[in-house]
């Protein structure tokens, strides 16, 4: 993600897969975190500095993912990150996982809340962070709404 | 989970935690999977046999979690698993993560769909599995509804 | 590991396995750490307290493992932990991973050094810890010597 | 690792670290595997194809690592991979983990054996693979010899 948030990608490694021959669903969140950290660094808010300074944190209070197609060992996956929602003290990011040919394989969403290192929760996001995030707001929310959480809605 | 689904528990190990001093959010899904496999074995549908037989799979098509309180290294966490919803070809499980004193720390939800090993999707859950799951249906849905995905709704 | 260090066990879960259908070699160290933490708690030296007190740490300076037989999804693995060596400021633990029938599947070894939280290295192990460890010293070193690191020595 | 084996690198992410504020030792092997897969692809022997063809595997029969300096969240780590030893049916790779300024932080070693998918073990490495590996043979063995496994040999 050197010059564009859409540049983040990874290759699916053996440890990402399981005996069913596909990416283990939980490991997707590890890659989402990698994309998140790249995104925040791109915004000028590197997470490692944040944690090392020890003043406040941006813990995940909600995470979710939809898995549309199996992801296999050796595949190159591109991750696009966008801001879905910005609130007073929290924000939601959306992640689109696509294969090289553009096929969407999964989507994820994380909600981060501003918290002081001592656990204080009623903090507003710094204006500068809110502005940085606002530049990446997406029109459409990522497709992990409750409605789409159950693809066989007709079943 | 020898004699009761509510018996599943784990101790938070060093590799579960991160530099922020708490359980890394993504690792919660690894523990949810452990509870899921214990639950399915308890139901008489062990996942390892399912995968080794190679006829069909129960891949996760949706996963989500809410994190209410930080989970720390060394804590004993109890996981209660319940069936939230059963559909023709898929089902949703809910997971409650509680500390020893009963404090709820996190909740998770996974949706599993029946799929043939060759990818065929339009399969109905075996009646025996549907019945086994039905015995663990919860009245209340787990609190990971979209409404609660954003705790600071008023923010 | 309630009443005996040899009581530690785990069931191989889906996320432990990879697309080759066996436990991913790197994940063995996660289970070794679990056995290590159980062992240290059994000795009266719980690692979480150690880290939370923030005075000193016992970082791993060397880790190794030999893999004799593939470990598969769903298998119950027993881990026996023993003390291989005690030095002035470090100690080495050995881990034997066995299936239910006693078949040895893997062995591991970790070397831990006492270090102050600020990185100071020239510290001697507390006498009480040295004594606790000494009670679990093994006669035979675990078979992960360099000699056995290459099973096909004749090849 | 596009055009040179020494090009592999990764950034230490939050999930790589633990509550002690450093990379969890076991996670180093996940990065070693990433470097291994990049290296094998660079050699023209991509591991995913190998596993998907299902004829033979290159399971790890021995893995070890020495940790010289703590690795922290956000650090960029370069991994150099070299071939330490080639035998009739197995080979050993060495990994040097260095920070941006060249400081060595860790070293690892993995031994891979050729095995048929059905478990047959007495297979010789294909000549083409042996030749490809031979081009990357290192003069000096990686410093994870038993001698150096215990840095405080004088303690």
């Amino acid at each position: 993600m050197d010059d564009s948030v859409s540049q983040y990608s990874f290759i699916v490694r053996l440890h990402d897969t399981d005996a069913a021959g596909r990416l283990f669903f939980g490991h997707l969140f590890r890659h989402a975190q990698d994309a998140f950290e790249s995104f925040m660094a791109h915004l000028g808010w590197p997470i490692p500095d944040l944690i090392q300074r020890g003043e406040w944190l941006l813990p995940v209070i909600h995470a979710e993912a939809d898995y549309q197609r199996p992801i296999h060992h050796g595949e190159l996956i591109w991750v696009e990150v966008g801001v879905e929602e910005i609130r007073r003290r929290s924000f939601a990011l959306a992640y689109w996982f696509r294969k090289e040919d553009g096929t969407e394989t999964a989507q994820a969403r994380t909600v981060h809340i501003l918290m002081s290192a001592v656990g204080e929760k009623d903090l507003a996001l710094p204006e500068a962070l809110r502005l940085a995030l606002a530049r990446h707001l997406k029109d459409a929310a990522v497709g992990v709404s409750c409605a789409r959480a159950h693809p066989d809605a007709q079943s």
Side-chain angles (χ1 to χ4, degrees), chain A residues 48-63:
Chain A
D49 298 0
L50 196 76
I51 293 174
Q52 277 146 40
R53 270 204 308 279
E55 289 162 37
W56 41 283
L57 303 167
L58 284 171
V60 169
I61 53 173
H62 179 76

Side-chain angles (χ1 to χ4, degrees), chain A residues 13-145:
Chain A
R13 305 298 189 184
L14 191 55
H15 49 75
D16 286 314
T17 62
D18 60 31
R22 43 181 67 195
L23 178 126
F24 174 70
F25 81 96
H27 294 334
L28 189 79
F29 293 99
R30 200 183 76 237
H31 295 292
Q33 173 72 19
D34 293 355
F36 166 68
E37 293 191 26
S38 294
F39 177 72
M40 294 300 284
H42 172 76
L43 258 53
W45 291 81
I47 297 300
D49 298 0
L50 196 76
I51 293 174
Q52 277 146 40
R53 270 204 308 279
E55 289 162 37
W56 41 283
L57 303 167
L58 284 171
V60 169
I61 53 173
H62 179 76
E64 64 184 294
D66 279 336
Y67 306 83
Q68 291 115 304
R69 284 172 192 72
I71 297 174
H72 299 104
H73 187 198
E75 289 180 332
L76 173 65
I77 304 294
W78 288 91
V79 188
E80 183 187 349
V81 183
V83 178
E84 191 186 314
E85 192 174 29
I86 305 173
R87 298 209 177 191
R88 192 177 66 80
R89 56 190 185 123
S90 67
F91 59 93
L93 298 183
Y95 309 80
W96 289 263
F97 296 80
R98 299 191 179 91
K99 304 199 179 190
E100 272 184 287
D101 64 4
T103 320
E104 202 162 87
T105 58
Q107 295 177 325
R109 182 172 174 261
T110 55
V111 180
H112 303 258
I113 191 165
L114 186 70
M115 197 174 290
S116 76
V118 294
E120 197 190 338
K121 271 186 187 174
D122 194 18
L123 303 171
L125 295 173
E127 190 55 22
L129 172 56
R130 196 183 281 107
L131 288 174
L133 290 167
R135 281 196 297 278
H136 297 279
L137 267 169
K138 294 282 174 185
D139 304 336
V142 68
V144 284
S145 65

